[in-house]
Amino acid sequence: MREQDIDRYLTQLGQALDNLGIHQPVRILIIGGTFMLTQIRNRSITEDIDVIFTDIVDRRASPIYQAISQATKAIAIRDNLREDWFNDGMSRLLRVMGDIPEGSLWKRYGVLEVHLPPAGYILTLKLLSYRDKDKDDIEALCRLLQIGTREQAQNMINTYVPDTSTHDIFRLDETLEKLF
Amino acid sequence: MLNVTQGNGIDMRDRLQTMAVAYAEICQGERPWTALGNFMNDWFGCAKDRREQLVADPLPTPQALTQETHRWAAFIAASVEWLCQKYAVRCPLWVHNPVYVLAETWWYADGIQKLHVRARLLEETPEPFARRNIYCGNRMYNNKYEVDDLIDQLLEARKSATKNHDQPVLL
């Protein structure tokens, strides 16, 4: 999906939540390809919209989460999208890794409030996961944030994910050694 | 009833990003990890019940075989063999075509000017890649659909840290 598609589907999701009688704000943080596409603009297309629900910790116990699932499924069928076009699969892992930043409000689609995390948080996640598919994004984010040395990268990671055992599990030393 | 077809009448949710499609896209100039990332979304996510189909078709022969497209063909053949081993999927025969063995080693990683980075790549690269002369490490198919192991490791590390923190200091 392109930027205008993201806007269209989030508009539909906001309307669907309204139709389902959800009146309290539903806050999401966009991450992954959608963040790169809309904020860094180093790509023109993304397969899905990766998000974190900032106020929903236990999905199963949340009626709002059930409403969102229902709405995203209906949109997937109507608009011929992948069933996981609106994907919060990373939420649990990111919560375990550390505090999730509140982010700043980017757009409102009815009750759906879309927030942006700091670019440094996205770079931190990409450096920790460090997959081949992230290399272009890492380069673009390092350029934007003027991260040019290993020490700068390490300091930034420590800001968002200070726990060193997490760094070890993600083999961060090895990644930084390769990159800087 | 909702109509899920669009324009040309093809239900887009039935369109699989097979490895053959990914390779064709790479040959047409798509960024390799965009094409392969879309394959990964199907392999690990939406189409994980159709894995055999995702890798069955042999790779198309590109109009012009360059070093770059040859490398990616070998990388894809290795990927299919490795993924089939790892997920117990029947491996298609086309991956064993000797054309997918590179004559010259391809170090596909950052920092390869450092000897210890190369040593680690030699150690970590899965055999189907190494046999084709590709050294790329073992993180290329890490994905957001399989994070339970990581979560367990992180929770375990937290638990140990808390335990250690609670230990009385013996003077």
Side-chain angles (χ1 to χ4, degrees), chain A residues 35-170:
Chain A
F35 181 90
M36 297 306 295
L37 191 160
T38 61
Q39 307 306 308
I40 311 299
R41 300 190 182 283
N42 69 330
R43 59 168 83 178
S44 58
I45 203 158
T46 182
E47 273 266 290
D48 51 12
I49 302 177
D50 286 314
V51 303
I52 305 170
F53 293 106
T54 47
D55 303 327
I56 301 173
V57 177
D58 184 356
R59 294 177 193 176
R60 278 170 300 185
S62 164
I64 291 179
Y65 187 84
Q66 305 309 323
I68 294 165
S69 295
Q70 193 183 330
T72 55
K73 269 181 203 149
I75 293 167
I77 292 171
R78 194 177 55 214
D79 283 76
N80 192 12
L81 299 172
R82 307 161 48 90
E83 65 188 53
D84 62 351
W85 69 272
F86 188 80
N87 193 320
D88 74 322
M90 291 294 283
S91 291
R92 186 158 171 252
L93 174 65
L94 300 187
R95 279 182 208 290
V96 176
M97 282 165 64
D99 293 336
I100 291 174
E102 259 187 34
S104 52
L105 182 64
W106 178 47
K107 286 185 178 180
R108 268 201 186 94
Y109 300 90
V111 292
L112 186 66
E113 290 186 0
V114 183
H115 292 248
L116 298 173
Y121 181 65
I122 299 293
L123 178 57
T124 296
L125 300 184
K126 286 190 178 285
L127 286 171
L128 286 168
S129 60
Y130 187 62
R131 300 163 302 173
D132 295 282
K133 73 195 278 283
D134 290 326
K135 283 179 182 177
D136 292 343
D137 292 343
I138 289 173
E139 262 179 48
L141 288 163
C142 281
R143 237 188 341 265
L144 175 79
L145 297 166
Q146 298 183 315
I147 303 282
T149 67
R150 180 176 178 155
E151 193 186 7
Q152 288 170 331
Q154 183 73 63
N155 288 341
M156 192 201 55
I157 292 162
N158 292 345
T159 307
Y160 295 106
V161 180
D163 178 60
T164 53
S165 63
T166 301
H167 302 175
D168 294 342
I169 288 167
F170 283 91

